[in-house]
Amino acid sequence: MSLKPAEELLQEALSAWEWGGTVVGAVRYGAGHINDTFCVYTQNAEGDCVRFILQRINTNTFKDPVGLMENIAGVTGFLRKKIEEKGGDVTRETMNVVPTKEGSNFYADSNGGAWRVYTFVEGTLCLQKVESSEDFYESAYAFGQFQQLLADYPAATLHETIARFHDTANRYANFEKALQADVCGRAKDVQKEIEFVQARKADCSVMVDLLAQGKLPLRVTHNDTKLNNILMDKQTRKGICVIDLDTVMPGLAANDYGDSIRFGANDCAEDETDLSKVNFSLPLFETYTKGFLAAAGSALTDLEKETLPWGARLMTLECGIRFLTDYLEGDHYFRTHREGHNLDRCRTQFKLVSDMEQVWDEMMAIVKKYS
Ligand code: ADP
Ligand code: GN1
Ligand code: MG
């Protein structure tokens, strides 16, 4: 079933929860590319405003919402125990799912959509761009710690919410398929980008080959470690809560590290159209490396640490390949807001990959310094 605009199902979804007060309104929220997120404003008996996050899971992307929500319930429950043990605040340091009136952790709507509600973590910031080196360090520490906390999570119980999510070689194969099909006749206009990818076909296999050879371990990873998937405390500016847990699955440590570098170690938006503003920042790379290794380094093997720069390069290349593939296929995967949006996004990623290739030796040396 094709999904209707989320707004059309909003009232139906709202009626599936108790809310503990009167719903005053619900507005679109956040800048994600996949799910539909709303902030729900309620008024409780004391007259105070209490906010919630209501999300429609994109079931075209996440085909098994039951398994996905089981993962989230499992992971947040596990984190809650760890946070309690260290005397932390479980209402702010992990996501908390609010059950429906029927006691389920999501609501299946009449259109095949799946909705869930989280308590709103107040007093936090969600950054779309790095504002200071200190913020980036804190995000690195928070993602590193997230991985540490989940190190002994029973990984075999996790559902693979998107098959082969960070299998870069398979992403390359899908790109070639999209290119052959060229359903929109767009390939002729993006020859430079196509050549860029094809020249890096061998790179796409570096990490997946090491995994297949048993040289790198699978860990419980987040797999979507963008800066805007961390909530930072407004007062202390510490990264307090890792959000967007849909892609928590067994994966490579370098990919969590690398996806954060891709998104945050630069001074531009992911969809910046002026490529002269798109520059990989080695100082920010160093800051993130320091924070991530301070939190997660002791759990990583020597080869995992050595290959972290590959995580950065390949997550950036892979993301660019995914944007380009979606552009060739007619923009059906990532939400777009303008003509050529995926192509703009793809170009920023490829510029960043080129920059990283230029300073590869320095990247390797920085990782070594903090290992
Ligand atoms: P998407 O998959 O679309 O990226 P996210 O789960 O990252 O969705 O949520 C989108 C935005 O909503 C986040 O960037 C953040 O600003 C906000 N958000 C999500 N969950 C919470 C929460 N529990 N408390 C406060 N803000 C949240
Ligand atoms: C998507 O959902 P969101 O916006 O946090 C995508 C990530 C990409 C990212 C690029 C499930 O993340 O893999 O890296 O866009 N999520 C999924 O910004 O495909
Ligand atoms: Mg997000």
Side-chain angles (χ1 to χ4, degrees):
M1 200 189 303
S2 80
L3 292 176
K4 290 181 185 167
E7 278 75 4
E8 290 181 28
L9 279 306
L10 188 56
Q11 286 309 319
E12 180 189 328
L14 283 168
S15 66
W17 275 268
E18 199 56 72
W19 301 111
T22 314
V23 174
V24 180
V27 287
R28 280 231 175 229
Y29 202 77
H33 298 336
I34 308 291
N35 293 327
D36 293 279
T37 304
F38 296 86
C39 180
V40 178
Y41 294 79
T42 69
Q43 190 177 32
N44 66 14
E46 290 79 47
D48 295 328
C49 172
V50 181
R51 298 196 282 176
F52 295 88
I53 289 287
L54 167 67
Q55 280 180 321
R56 182 175 72 170
I57 301 165
N58 185 331
T59 41
N60 291 326
T61 303
F62 298 104
K63 299 197 187 314
D64 172 21
V66 175
L68 183 150
M69 289 308 294
E70 252 172 52
N71 281 0
I72 292 184
V75 165
T76 53
F78 188 87
L79 290 174
R80 206 165 296 126
K81 277 202 200 105
K82 297 244 165 172
I83 294 163
E84 266 164 6
E85 275 162 28
K86 64 179 176 76
D89 180 351
V90 291
T91 66
R92 300 189 84 226
E93 294 172 34
T94 182
M95 302 288 271
N96 288 283
V97 177
V98 181
T100 65
K101 283 176 185 166
E102 296 192 344
S104 166
N105 55 21
F106 76 96
Y107 168 70
D109 73 24
S110 55
N111 178 236
W115 298 72
R116 63 170 169 224
V117 170
Y118 291 114
T119 53
F120 195 102
V121 185
E122 297 288 353
T124 59
L125 294 167
C126 178
L127 302 179
Q128 298 303 327
K129 230 168 90 173
V130 171
E131 288 176 6
S132 73
S133 170
E134 289 76 19
D135 288 348
F136 201 38
Y137 180 90
E138 292 303 335
S139 77
Y141 198 88
F143 278 127
Q145 200 176 44
F146 181 82
Q147 211 172 90
Q148 273 281 28
L149 289 175
L150 292 175
D152 49 349
Y153 188 83
T157 63
L158 281 173
H159 303 271
E160 198 180 10
T161 55
I162 299 181
R164 307 180 80 174
F165 190 56
H166 283 320
D167 179 339
T168 314
N170 188 54
R171 295 289 187 183
Y172 180 90
N174 289 341
F175 152 75
E176 282 288 359
K177 274 185 221 149
L179 179 58
Q180 293 316 313
D182 193 18
V183 288
C184 300
R186 289 175 168 177
K188 61 180 182 332
D189 308 322
V190 289
Q191 281 308 308
K192 229 173 78 189
E193 287 73 21
I194 291 168
E195 281 161 27
F196 186 93
V197 177
Q198 288 175 332
R200 288 161 182 77
K201 181 179 179 188
D203 289 354
C204 295
S205 299
V206 170
M207 294 297 274
V208 285
D209 282 357
L210 289 172
L211 176 67
Q213 291 157 11
K215 293 180 180 162
L216 288 174
L218 272 181
R219 303 201 179 270
V220 175
T221 47
H222 181 280
N223 295 303
D224 189 8
T225 50
K226 296 199 279 194
L227 182 68
N228 62 15
N229 284 331
I230 292 260
L231 301 177
M232 312 192 73
D233 186 275
K234 256 188 202 160
Q235 304 298 328
T236 64
R237 289 193 89 102
K238 298 258 180 245
I240 54 160
C241 185
V242 173
I243 62 169
D244 210 344
L245 306 177
D246 298 335
T247 48
V248 172
M249 289 183 273
L252 295 176
N255 291 345
D256 271 8
Y257 164 86
D259 199 39
S260 292
I261 299 291
R262 168 188 86 72
F263 191 80
N266 57 66
D267 185 30
C268 65
E270 194 182 57
D271 58 358
E272 173 60 61
T273 51
D274 179 354
L275 289 183
S276 72
K277 293 187 185 151
V278 180
N279 299 298
F280 175 61
S281 161
L282 213 44
L284 285 175
F285 173 80
E286 176 155 3
T287 298
Y288 193 92
T289 304
K290 196 171 157 191
F292 187 82
L293 284 173
S298 61
L300 304 182
T301 67
D302 288 346
L303 188 65
E304 274 182 300
K305 283 184 269 195
E306 262 169 53
T307 51
L308 287 178
W310 272 111
R313 198 160 142 180
L314 290 184
M315 282 302 95
T316 315
L317 178 64
E318 180 187 288
C319 197
I321 292 175
R322 292 172 64 196
F323 288 141
L324 182 58
T325 304
D326 200 30
Y327 179 73
L328 290 170
E329 289 178 342
D331 308 307
H332 64 82
Y333 186 87
F334 296 103
R335 182 178 298 123
T336 53
H337 304 287
R338 58 177 187 250
E339 189 103 335
H341 205 167
N342 273 317
L343 185 56
D344 295 337
R345 291 170 175 152
C346 146
R347 287 179 172 147
T348 62
Q349 303 307 295
F350 291 169
K351 168 65 169 60
L352 294 169
V353 171
S354 301
D355 286 359
M356 290 182 205
E357 290 170 354
Q358 299 287 318
V359 293
W360 187 240
D361 292 346
E362 286 96 318
M363 288 169 71
M364 298 291 266
I366 287 168
V367 167
K368 203 164 170 197
K369 181 171 153 194
Y370 294 101
S371 292

